Each structure stands twice: as C-alpha cells, then as structure tokens.
Amino acid sequence: MKKKDYSIKSELLVDPGKKAIDKFLAAIVKSSNDAIISLTLDGVITSWNRSAEKLYGYTAKETIGKTITLLVPRDQFKDNPLALKYLASKQFRLGTVHHFETEGRRKNGRRVPLLLTLSAIRDSLDKVIGASVIARDITTHKEAEAKTNGLAEIIQKNPEPVLVTNREGIITYVNSAWEKLTGWTSAEVVNRKTPRILKSGKQTTQFYAHFWKMITSGKTFLGEIINRRKNGEEYNAEQFVMPLRNEQEEIIAFVEFTRDISERKWVSELLRKSEERLRLLIENLPVCVHEIDLSGRFISMNPSGLKMMGVRTESQICGTFYIDAVSKEDRKRIGILFSRALAGEASQFEFRAASKGEPRIFSSSFIPLREKSGRIQKIIGVTDDITQRRNTEINLAKSEANYRSIFDSVSDLVVVHEIETGRPIDINEAVVKRFGWSKEEYLRLKVEDWSEGHPPYSQKEAFQWIRKAATGKPQVFDWLCKTRKKELFWVEVSLKRATINGIDRILAVVRDISERKKAEAELHLYRKHLEDLIKERTGELEESRNQYKTIVENAPGMVYTSRHPHSLDVLGKHIQALTGYSLQDLQRRKMNWLDLVHADDKKKFIQEVRILESRPSSLRQEYRICKRNGQIIWVADNKKSVFKGKKFLSIEGIITNIDNQKKAEQQIKDQVEQLKSLDQLKNQFLSNVSHELRTPLTPIISQIQRIMVRELPPDEERASLSMILKNTFRLDKMINEVLEISRIQSGRMMLVKRQTNIRDLIGHIVETMEPFAKEKNSFITISLPKIRSMQIDPDRISSVIINLIDNAIKFNGGGEILVNAEVKKKEVVFSIRDHGIGIPSKDFSKIFTPFFRSEETHIYRGCGLGLSICKGIVEAHGGKIWFESKVGVGSTFYFSIPLRQKLEKKIEQKEMKS
Amino acid sequence: MNPLILVVDDEEDIRASVKTVLEDEHFRVITANEGRDCLTKLKTIQPDLIILDIIMPGLTTREILMSLRKMKKKIPIIFLTVVRLAETTKKEIIPGSMVDYIEKPFDNVDFISRVKKALRHTMLKTKN
C-alpha cells in the first residue's frame, strides 16, 4: 500500500500538467513543522525548508549542494551515516520507507536526537532519483524517556540504596533499600540536607569540601565513606555519586548509590590486624625467619635473620639463593631436602655455614606453604645460629681432660671414693692443707682418724652415706672432722656419683662450715636467750595481768575501759552484779552502756561525757541505770580519758553502786523537807495559835482592867465578869484543841472507850447545839439508827460531831442541818449535811490538814484545827472521814466507825491497865 | 458634844468590850459587826473616828476604804490588829487613810490615849 502511495506522489512530480499541485506541495513543505529535506541518491541536499533551518541552524543557501554528512555528528563519519547507507540499500530502491532514530549535528556543533523518515523520490519511469527526509526533533521525548526508563526505573528497582538530591544537596528522593540501610524513612529525610543526617564525623570537612567540589563540577565520585545510621551506628559504605543533567547540560540533581561494606571492612580489618601481629612476631623473633620461592631464592627475611646474615637491608639478601649460604660440604644434602620440600615434605636440619671466618653451624627448616588450590607457593624456613651451643658441648667433652687441674685448683675439699668399698682413692690439695696429712698418709687413714670418731661421726655412718650416694641420689650432710692436730671442725659433705675418666666414683665435695656452725651455735644461743627473755617477759606480763585481774575482781565497783563514752568494755564479773546483764547479754541485745542509763539522766550523761573526748580529763558522774529486772539504781561513774598525743584513745573508769548511799541521802533530804514543812507548819501554828488566843484575851484583859480601875455599877461589873469567864472558857477550849492536835500528830492520843449509846449521845449534842443553830436561823433534824450502843471514846466522838455541826451552823447560812447515823455493813456511818456555801474543789485535798483555812472560810474564827482533830479521832477509832460538797449547794461530812474494833481493844486494855 | 466613835469588829465580845472602855471615857460609841454594816451606818452618822478591825468576814479592809473614799468621808481610822501588821494586811490599807493601829489585846489606858491623840490630830486638821 505504501509503495502505491509513493508512486502516486512521484507521478505528481514528473507530470508537468500537475505543476499547480507541485506548487501546492512545495508550500506545504515550506510551512511544515517538520524539517523536510530532499537529497540526490549521492546524498547531496537539493531542498531545505524553514523547519530544517530551525532544526539545524543552517540556511538553505548553506546546505543546498552539500552532502548530508554536514548534518551528521563527526564521530559517525568513520562508517557512512545511516542515511547514506539506507540510500544505497536495495530495500530503499524497492520502495521501503525507513524510520529510524539517530543524532544530527547542528551548526553550533551540538547534537540533537532525531527521528528520520527516509523515502524514495522517483521519476516518471518509476526510477528512484532521490530521497526525501523528514526529520523530527525528539529531544523532549528522549528526556522524558530517560527520566522514566532510565532514572525512575533504575532507582526504584535498584536493590542497592539510592539517594537523589538536588543541586543544593537537599534530598528529593530515597529508595526503600536506602531506608533499610540507614533506618530513616523517606518522609523523614526528604527536603533535608544530606550531610546533616549522615555525617559520622569520621571524615574531615576538607573531605566533604573536596567531595562536593568534585560532583558539582560534573565528575562522578566513587569511594568509601563512613556514615551514620539513624540509631547512631556507623556503617562503612562504598558510594557512587553521579550528577544528573538537563537538556542544557546543566546539573539538576545528584544520584548517590550506596553499598554497605561495614562487614567486609570489619573482616579485612581483623585480617589486617592478625597479619600485623604475625608480622610483628616474625620481626621480633630472635631467629631468622625467611621465605624462599620455588627456585630457591630468598623472598623475605626478618631483621634477626638479616643480622645473622650480616646484612643491613632485606634487598641485599632477597634474590640470592638459599643454597649459597650453605658450606660446600653440606650443599648436596640440603639440596635434596629442598627438592623434597618442593614436593611438600617439611624438614629440619643442621648445616655448616659457608663463611670465611669462624666456622658456623646453623639449624634450619623447610616448611612448604600451599595455596588454596593445593599448589606449593613458597617455602618458609626458620634458621638459628647454633655455633656457640655446639662449641659449649664440645668444650664440655674436652673438659674431662682438664680434670686434674680443676680438681686441685678448687678451694673446696674434694675426695674421690671407690664406689664399691667407699675407700678414698684421691684427694685434692685443699684436703691436704686443711687436715695436715699428705695425700699418701690420708689415703691410708681410717674414717675415725679424720673424724670426731664416735657415732654418728664414725666409719659405719660414713659408709652408709657413701652407699646411699652410690644409688645415684646425691647426699648432703654435716660431718664433724678432726685434723692431724686433733682440732675438730664442721664440714658440709656433698656426696655425688660421678664418672671420672670413665670410671664411676663417689665424689665428695667437702665444705668447711665451722664458721657457719659457729654462727649457728651463736644463733642457737641467742635464740635460747631470746626465748628465756620472752618467757621472763611473759611471766611479768602474766603477773601484771593477774595483778590487774585481782584488782579488777576485787575493786569496789565495775572497772572498765571503752573507746567511746557511750559504751564500755567491762572487765571482771561485776557487770552482772551491777546491772543484771552479763556482757554476752548486752552484746546479744546490741546494747551499749547508754541504753542502760535512765532516760531522765541520758541528756546530762551525753552532755557531760563530751569533754572526755575533747581533751584528757576526768569526770565523776552520778546517774541512775535501769537494771535488767527493771529496778532503777544510782551509780557513781568515775572516769578519765586517755590520750596518745592529741588523739583520743580510750576512757578508763570504775562504776560503783551508790544506790543505798543515794537513797539514804534522799531519805535525809526528804526528812529535811518534811522537817522544813513541819517547821513551817509549826510557825504557822504558832502564828495561828497566838492570833486565836489573843482574840479572847482582848476582852478578858480590857474587862479586868475596868474592874480594877473603876468602880462599876454591880450589873455592869457582872456583865464584865461573865464576858471574862466566857472568853476564858473559849481560851481553854482552844488550848485543848492545840494539845489534842499535837497529841494526834505525835501519835500519843489515848482513847478512853466504853460502850456508848449513840442515840443518847447524838440527842444530847443536838440539844446543846440547837440554840446556836437558832442564832444562825438554822435548825437541826436527826435521823438515828436502830443500833443502841457501840464501843467508842464518847467524849472524842462527841467532839467530832459537835465540830461538824458547829461547822455546818457556821457555813449553813440558815435552813436545815441534817444529822444522820446509820449502820452500813460492819460500821456506823455518821453524816452531817448543811446547805451552806460549799467547799471549792481546789481545797478538797487540804481540808483535813491542820491549820488549813480556806480563803473563803478564813474570815470565820478558828484555829483551822477542827477537821484535822476530827480526822485524828475517827482514824484512831479505825474509821474514815470524808465529805461531799458542791459550791453554793452545801456540804455533807461523813465519818464511819467500825462496829468491831479488835485491834483497838488490845490497845484499850493496855491503856486501861496503865 | 462628845466625839462619836464607830467601832467595827466581827467579834461580838471585842465590840462590846471596846464599847465599854470608850464609854467609860464618855465617848459616844456606835458599833458595826462587819464592813457592810459599817458603810450602812455611815450613811446616817458622821463619826469623828472609826476603829476598824483589820480582818473581818464580808468586805475586805480595802473594799471598805475604797467605799469610804467614794463617799468622800474623811474620817480618821485606827486599825485593830491581832498581831503586827503583816505584809498582806498592809496592802489592804490605802496610804493616808490610817492614823494609827492598835494591837489586840491592848492596855486600856494606852488605847484611850491613842484614841484621844487621833481625835486631836483630826481636830487640828479640820480647824486649819
């Protein structure tokens, strides 16, 4: 079909009748967006349209008449340009239209990717006379293709980490492999600057500067770099960085391919290190270590080897043959060994060195070294100079010949014995000198002659020693010898089986140790002396300790030492006696002395002992301690602190029980206090008594004076006398009270008991008291028990009742006063109730104290003795007295008298008798 | 008219005895048995001298003296005490109010002379 189309076209070209169409066509060609060029079959340009001009930069004038090669990049010149090839091809002539991509060359030299369509131009005879070329610029297309196919695909599918940055180094893309390698996600890194994220700090800033300069200048970078993962781990990476250009050849981005080589790095590092170790080892070995190639030449040698070979540098020895170092005599033997080594057989050997001076002997070895494949690569050898060692051995062998001279020249005494008989057969000069016998004389002597002579220094013992030595075990022992002059001296004998001139002998090396023995003896003496001294000193110590112990045990208190003021290390057994705790008890309970100190005394104790630690001082403390049984006792603690220089060492002290003393003191104190208060009471008493006595005395004195001075009318005189009499009785009553209370207080009150009818007693009292009550607008009511009589002191019980009723009248302020007596259990309880002012609770405890008068009642006359006398009387009867009271409501005084008073009876009987 | 003396003492016998001793010397005597009684009586009478027991039930000496001051009565006072003036009783006495004090029991002659002396003292004062 295509063929047909083009044939129509060419018909149009040749047909003159269709010139209008030609013109029309030419206009299309001219205005077409594609460059349309027509060529001759030789490739000469015959037409050139506008678009062609645009595409290539040449005008029609510049191109028409020239060959198409003008438009082909120079590097395609070698072979004919594609277009020319096609023009010459058979297919073209047969009418094939060629579409192909190629590159064109612009006027400015730049290349341009093109899509060319080449079709034949035929004449009327259908003969191909030329070609038309339609060229389309495909740069944009190519770029897109590169982006999609080239970049994206490569990047995305690359199993190796890829990172893309823009010109400024801002990350624009990373692939998943990169994410995996670094731990960063794409979202985290995109739009961030690379080095910030990846810099490990292992590379210098110069490195980065160089790196950056290199890639921005358009070069690629390939190298190793140490970077950092997100978690801070470093990784070795091989990086390939490549700039990416746009159509204007400007760098628009960088692509970075990374290969993690951390592991590879680590392994090679390890290998390098082990190699390094081996190298060091070889270099420092005191023997020659060398490598020989398969031809027998040295490849390497360590410093010790170079020294041995007498050369300075390795280069002097490398390349020379191993065999050249071997003396001519040994070369054949060594050559055989070398050829065996080449066959894989290791060997060790000695050889004489080929040297001009002193003959030298080397010990050496061949160790074949194989490659992985098993092929022998080289021979390693270790060579040592053993000349000296050999010489020593040779000398040793020779030395036997010098036996005699050595034998005689040694300073030690040497005796050679026959092994079988033990008989001496040879002695050296030293023996002759020391013993004083000639050699001949000596050899004839018996052991006894030159020894102390008695066991264990006789012939028998000497032979035993020799027999033991004959077994091959060297014997060393001390021997007491005797010289020709009968001088005794000590030696140390060393017996040894030895081969002398090929015969087995016993060799005795005798060393004079008389000096040593002397020293030993002295040492022994000294040691003995020392022991004696120690014994003596120990004795002294023991004695002083016993003394101390005796003192401690018999001390009047607990002796102690302590390193801290709050604790003590008690000596002796006193602690248990004092505290009830044994030392073990205290230790078990982790108690120190302070724990025993009474809580109230602790603060003072701690405060006072402070001084002891601060400077040498002594202190006496008295305080209480709590014994194990809870008893609290007083102790005296006399102590002093011991210092060594300025350093506090300890406290030494003695604690004594002063409880009895303290208690006695306390008793005395208490007694003094009691006496003091008694004295105060007495003073109060006197003051009260004198006051109270003076009151009745006032009218007595005044009235007596009146009667004496004046002549009073008879009735006035009688009134005066009656006033005197009344106050005299009052005075008498007061004096009796004072006497009574003093009797009660001194315990000298005597009861005169008799069977008394209580009803009568109370009735009588109330009868006498009623007028006084009436005076105060009070009245007395009585409630009496059925009981008729009981054993009491009626006068004293009366005075109790009178006193209580009197008080009731005084304080009642009008109204009823109830006097009651009733039998309760085994006693009679009397009570006198008033509706008076009452007693304030603060006075409750003092109400029965002698001379006590409440502030509220002191205005009422009285000594303050009434109630205390009542109490004394009631208690003397074995009863009790008490009261109930409420201020403003009134008071009730009770007293009880037991019905049976057994104890009292006895006293009573005694009293009656007396 | 003979001077009027108010005797205040809670002890009936002392009151009576003092009254007789003073009346023997022709003084007019009124008695009161305690402070309140004394103050009541002072509303109606104007004594020339008050003889006041220092310790009595009821009002304290100080209270009596304060009341006297309120009543603007400037009457000389002789205190009767049983013993020497103790510190506690001294505090009871407002300074300037006391003319003299007499201890019980007393000698009648001494007592009368002190009374007369006190009366003279006040009379001189009032004349001036």
Side-chain angles (χ1 to χ4, degrees), chain A residues 506-524:
Chain A
I506 296 295
L507 195 68
V509 177
V510 180
R511 190 163 293 158
D512 188 343
I513 56 161
S514 41
E515 286 301 313
R516 200 182 81 193
K517 274 283 170 182
K518 231 185 260 172
E520 268 179 14
E522 253 171 57
L523 202 72
H524 180 70

Side-chain angles (χ1 to χ4, degrees), chain A residues 687 690-692 694-703 705-706 710 712 716 723 726-727 730 858-861, chain B residues 9-14 16-18 20-21 24-25 53 55-58 82-83 103-109:
Chain A
S687 132
S690 64
H691 184 274
E692 293 309 314
R694 272 162 211 236
T695 301
L697 267 178
T698 308
I700 289 171
I701 291 168
S702 278
Q703 294 309 315
Q705 275 187 338
R706 280 184 73 218
R710 296 176 182 273
L712 296 173
E716 211 172 307
M723 194 189 283
K726 191 174 125 196
N727 279 287
R730 188 173 161 189
H858 88 281
I859 49 170
Y860 300 99
R861 294 290 175 220
Chain B
D9 200 310
D10 60 313
E11 284 285 341
E12 190 194 353
D13 281 2
I14 289 176
S17 179
V18 169
T20 58
V21 171
D24 286 346
E25 295 299 321
D53 183 11
I55 301 167
M56 284 187 297
V82 177
V83 282
E103 288 180 27
K104 292 186 275 189
F106 48 78
D107 177 67
N108 285 358
V109 180

Side-chain angles (χ1 to χ4, degrees), chain A residues 94 185 616 665 827:
Chain A
L94 289 171
T185 65
E665 268 175 36
E827 55 187 19

Side-chain angles (χ1 to χ4, degrees), chain A residues 635-651:
Chain A
V635 295
D637 189 352
N638 279 296
K639 51 195 162 188
K640 65 169 206 267
S641 49
V642 180
F643 274 70
K644 190 180 184 181
K646 282 183 178 175
K647 201 187 159 202
F648 167 78
L649 274 188
S650 64
I651 287 170

Side-chain angles (χ1 to χ4, degrees), chain A residues 206-244:
Chain A
Q206 284 105 313
F207 169 85
Y208 284 110
H210 172 74
F211 168 82
W212 195 244
K213 196 177 164 189
M214 205 167 148
I215 57 170
T216 45
S217 68
K219 286 175 185 154
T220 54
F221 168 86
L222 178 66
E224 280 179 20
I225 195 161
I226 300 168
N227 274 343
R228 191 184 292 280
R229 289 194 173 93
K230 189 185 177 183
N231 61 15
E233 249 174 51
E234 284 168 11
Y235 64 93
N236 290 75
E238 197 175 66
Q239 282 192 334
F240 174 70
V241 184
M242 174 180 88
L244 220 65

Side-chain angles (χ1 to χ4, degrees), chain A residues 684-744:
Chain A
Q684 179 90 40
F685 175 81
L686 284 175
S687 132
N688 282 328
V689 165
S690 64
H691 184 274
E692 293 309 314
L693 295 184
R694 272 162 211 236
T695 301
L697 267 178
T698 308
I700 289 171
I701 291 168
S702 278
Q703 294 309 315
I704 289 171
Q705 275 187 338
R706 280 184 73 218
I707 291 163
M708 283 169 74
V709 172
R710 296 176 182 273
E711 295 217 356
L712 296 173
D715 55 336
E716 211 172 307
E717 191 179 79
R718 205 180 302 118
S720 186
L721 282 170
S722 103
M723 194 189 283
I724 291 167
L725 186 65
K726 191 174 125 196
N727 279 287
T728 309
F729 281 134
R730 188 173 161 189
L731 203 57
D732 176 56
K733 187 193 159 210
M734 283 180 183
I735 290 165
N736 278 333
E737 274 186 10
V738 169
L739 289 172
E740 187 81 335
I741 196 76
S742 67
R743 270 198 291 267
I744 290 167

Side-chain angles (χ1 to χ4, degrees), chain A residues 95-156:
Chain A
T96 310
V97 175
H98 292 280
H99 291 280
F100 60 94
E101 279 181 20
T102 182
E103 278 184 311
R105 194 167 82 78
R106 289 197 167 110
K107 191 184 174 185
N108 60 11
R110 283 224 172 127
R111 291 157 174 262
V112 58
L114 297 171
L115 176 70
L116 295 185
T117 308
L118 195 70
S119 52
I121 301 173
R122 298 167 188 271
D123 63 6
S124 50
L125 298 171
D126 206 18
K127 189 188 171 192
V128 176
I129 53 160
S132 76
V133 179
I134 300 168
R136 186 171 287 160
D137 183 350
I138 54 164
T139 309
T140 338
H141 172 75
K142 274 279 166 193
E143 209 172 78
E145 196 176 55
K147 264 183 191 162
T148 49
N149 300 341
L151 252 175
E153 214 161 303
I154 289 166
I155 288 168
Q156 276 160 10

